[in-house]
Amino acid sequence: MMNNKTFKAISKSFLLAALCFSFNTLFAQKVELVYTTASLRWVNSKKFIKKNNGTATPDITVYTDSPLQKVDGIGGAFNELGWEAIKALDTKGSQEVMDALFSKEGCNFSMCRIPLGASDYSLSYYSSNDVPEDFEMRDFNIDRDRYILIPYLKEALKVRPDLQIWASPWSPPAWMKVNEHYAMRSGDFENAKEGNKMNIGAEINNNATAFKMQERYLKAYALYFSKFVQSYAKAGVPLFAIMPQNEIAFQPNWPSCTWRPEDMAYFIDGFLGPQFRNDKLDTEIWLGTVNSSNPNYVKTILEYKTAAKHISGVGFQWGGAKAIPTVHKEFPDLKLMQTENKCGEHENDWTSVERSWSDLVHYFNNGAGSYMYWNMVLDETGKSAWGWPQNSMVVIDKNSKAITYTDEFYLFKHLSHFVQPGDQLLKSSEGKNHLAFQLKDGRTLVLLNNPEKDLKTVTIKVGNQLVSVEVQPVSINTIILNN
């Protein structure tokens, strides 16, 4: 026969078990998990909550009362060769790609970049004014873009009308450069095996300013930028920002132009900034894209006379990774962007995810509010016009019409599908395999990388909540906690 003491003990145990079950059931309803591995893509997991006693030591702590920088946007780059690949598809196929990149069900990209003139992924050299010494920009036009880049952009804008777009040149018009050539060197360079045949004497193999620093050229170039912004706006593609030079300290055999920081500061302060102000342009001027690892490059420009008053932010290409921590520390209120992730060698596999993950964590943890992939779309070769095969998020086989979404596509989707402009990075415990964000609707998102080859249970503390989650081997995970 059961005595009263035994009955009470059993009742208490039953009650605690029931409460624990109810708590875990309720909590499971409040937590969502989506994961991707090299073989399983974008899986909405149903059974991933692991029981803990409420006192487990957290592997990750998210401080919801410590918001950091706001997110400005996440996206990638439009280039001519990407559009060429998309045009190989029928209407249904091209719409699938656009939806995958820009719809709310897809990557939901919110910010992207375009080249101002030729990039290494344009079909050939060109600018918006190739008439030598046209200092008044009488022959300025965006006619080529009307047939290639602008149709590409407008297809994206149909899906995401509020897509933010910024532009940067790889090179000024050739007649504005001291070597009067779009590139800086001749022949093969790195993996670009189809380089130009520039006269060897015209090469510039150092970081000396390759722009003609005479006043008439500086004035004309400032006007060139202004006309580009105004022409794009008239074409129905407003630009929220421009950056005056892509990869500002690099001398490849494709379109490029180096600038000493003192000369770039002189141009922004005395010509570009005043031109935009006089033309009453709302388009922002950002310093970039900076690929120098020395933070003094940026500091020299920001501290030059009144240049900083014209500069809304700084964009760092992946080569500037070592500079961004110092710049963020010394200019904490300045907006920062990662303008281009590492482009890869056309491997398009999980090793690309590992590399991009590392950069993603580094840049967000050092103040970046926006993050750009390089080519969103390429054909099956991945080759630039100069012969370098690189990675892309989407690979289109122009012969078979097959569409492949690469591992990096899913890495970016795990972030950008959920994290939108106005959301905020949250302070979290140290670690190289997670990021945390506060979404505008009050939910907390944890982006988690499991690089290990085994199932792993990760305990996350968010405010007063503690949840243990089982994550797949070698996987990228988005965990969302509803408040």
Side-chain angles (χ1 to χ4, degrees):
M1 185 173 178
M2 187 183 300
N3 61 34
N4 189 49
K5 185 176 181 180
T6 304
F7 177 78
K8 286 182 177 179
I10 292 174
S11 298
K12 184 177 180 181
S13 297
F14 178 80
L15 179 60
L16 287 172
L19 287 171
C20 184
F21 175 79
S22 297
F23 172 79
N24 280 305
T25 301
L26 178 62
F27 203 80
Q29 292 173 346
K30 286 187 172 184
V31 183
E32 304 169 49
L33 170 65
V34 182
Y35 70 85
T36 291
T37 69
S39 58
L40 297 170
R41 308 300 184 84
W42 200 254
V43 178
N44 286 277
S45 186
K46 301 301 180 185
K47 296 180 180 180
F48 59 91
I49 297 291
K50 306 295 288 184
K51 290 182 181 179
N52 65 62
N53 60 11
T55 61
T57 301
D59 299 294
I60 298 170
T61 300
V62 178
Y63 302 99
T64 55
D65 58 350
S66 298
L68 301 174
Q69 74 269 20
K70 284 189 175 182
V71 173
D72 296 312
I74 300 162
F78 292 89
N79 272 317
E80 289 189 339
L81 287 176
W83 185 236
E84 284 291 297
I86 290 172
K87 286 200 302 181
L89 300 172
D90 59 18
T91 301
K92 181 180 178 182
S94 60
Q95 190 61 54
E96 177 192 318
V97 171
M98 288 297 166
D99 288 342
L101 292 169
F102 300 105
S103 74
K104 290 181 179 180
E105 294 73 30
C107 285
N108 204 13
F109 276 170
S110 53
M111 179 186 290
C112 288
R113 73 179 294 191
I114 62 170
L116 199 167
S119 74
D120 46 322
Y121 273 84
S122 61
L123 292 161
S124 61
Y125 291 126
Y126 80 102
S127 79
S128 288
N129 190 346
D130 283 321
V131 178
E133 299 195 354
D134 179 13
F135 298 110
E136 296 180 6
M137 291 291 129
R138 290 185 299 267
D139 290 293
F140 178 94
N141 67 81
I142 57 167
D143 292 347
R144 174 164 167 162
D145 290 1
R146 294 183 195 280
Y147 292 96
I148 306 175
L149 274 181
I150 290 175
Y152 190 4
L153 288 161
K154 287 194 171 182
E155 287 303 308
L157 288 167
K158 287 178 185 176
V159 181
R160 177 83 193 236
D162 62 344
L163 180 67
Q164 302 171 88
I165 300 165
W166 62 275
S168 67
W170 269 240
S171 172
W175 56 273
M176 293 186 180
K177 291 176 62 181
V178 295
N179 66 347
E180 299 190 342
H181 197 289
Y182 278 100
M184 299 287 283
R185 70 176 70 219
S186 179
D188 296 348
F189 178 68
E190 294 186 352
N191 289 332
K193 302 301 183 185
E194 300 167 21
N196 63 77
K197 307 304 178 186
M198 180 194 305
N199 185 309
I200 298 299
E203 289 192 323
I204 302 174
N205 296 321
N206 56 52
N207 287 335
T209 299
F211 190 86
K212 295 177 180 178
M213 290 300 294
Q214 297 171 7
E215 187 166 306
R216 57 182 179 164
Y217 289 96
L218 293 163
K219 284 183 176 179
Y221 200 32
L223 182 58
Y224 178 89
F225 277 102
S226 177
K227 283 185 170 290
F228 187 86
V229 169
Q230 294 179 66
S231 297
Y232 258 71
K234 289 178 182 176
V237 185
L239 303 176
F240 94 88
I242 60 95
M243 297 191 194
Q245 176 60 49
N246 177 71
E247 294 186 351
I248 209 162
F250 191 34
Q251 314 92 35
N253 63 350
W254 58 80
S256 47
C257 184
T258 48
W259 290 75
R260 292 172 65 250
E262 296 85 355
D263 290 336
M264 177 54 72
Y266 181 69
F267 172 59
I268 292 173
D269 187 50
F271 302 89
L272 186 60
Q275 182 74 54
F276 274 39
R277 185 176 62 247
N278 292 341
D279 291 339
K280 297 179 173 58
L281 301 182
D282 294 328
T283 300
E284 298 173 358
I285 298 169
W286 283 51
L287 172 59
T289 68
V290 177
N291 62 316
S292 172
S293 61
N294 187 346
N296 287 328
Y297 193 102
V298 173
K299 291 171 64 177
T300 297
I301 297 172
L302 292 176
E303 294 170 355
Y304 178 89
K305 294 185 177 180
T306 62
K309 76 177 183 180
H310 301 293
I311 296 171
S312 298
V314 180
F316 293 87
Q317 189 255 14
W318 58 265
K322 292 181 179 179
I324 191 172
T326 300
V327 172
H328 179 50
K329 182 179 179 180
E330 297 191 17
F331 303 91
D333 297 326
L334 191 63
K335 287 188 175 184
L336 304 176
M337 179 191 297
Q338 200 271 19
T339 62
E340 176 190 335
N341 70 309
K342 292 177 181 175
C343 48
E345 308 289 342
H346 194 53
E347 66 277 5
N348 284 322
D349 60 19
W350 202 264
T351 63
S352 308
V353 170
E354 294 167 353
R355 182 175 58 241
S356 291
W357 172 266
S358 177
D359 288 342
L360 192 71
V361 171
H362 173 77
Y363 277 90
F364 272 109
N365 280 339
N366 285 286
S370 42
Y371 201 93
M372 304 292 112
Y373 192 82
W374 179 214
N375 278 295
M376 294 183 289
V377 183
L378 290 176
D379 69 14
E380 72 280 4
T381 71
K383 281 189 176 182
S384 73
W386 284 265
W388 184 352
Q390 298 178 13
N391 288 356
S392 60
M393 301 180 69
V394 184
V395 176
I396 296 172
D397 190 311
K398 291 194 290 189
N399 299 309
S400 70
K401 316 304 181 187
I403 303 168
T404 302
Y405 299 98
T406 66
D407 295 331
E408 285 184 296
F409 170 91
Y410 288 97
L411 169 62
F412 271 68
K413 185 177 180 180
H414 270 279
L415 176 65
S416 61
H417 177 83
F418 304 98
V419 177
Q420 291 291 300
D423 296 337
Q424 284 185 273
L425 185 72
L426 287 172
K427 180 182 177 182
S428 59
S429 52
E430 291 185 5
K432 61 182 180 181
N433 283 313
H434 71 274
L435 289 169
F437 296 86
Q438 188 76 60
L439 307 184
K440 291 187 294 295
D441 60 12
R443 295 181 297 166
T444 301
L445 180 147
V446 178
L447 189 64
L448 177 66
N449 173 37
N450 177 21
E452 299 175 14
K453 295 181 179 180
D454 299 304
L455 276 171
K456 184 177 181 180
T457 297
V458 180
T459 300
I460 305 170
K461 184 178 182 183
V462 179
N464 295 321
Q465 302 181 67
L466 194 69
V467 59
S468 294
V469 178
E470 184 178 71
V471 295
Q472 297 297 308
V474 192
S475 61
I476 298 296
N477 306 267
T478 301
I479 302 161
I480 300 178
L481 297 94
N482 295 284
N483 294 337

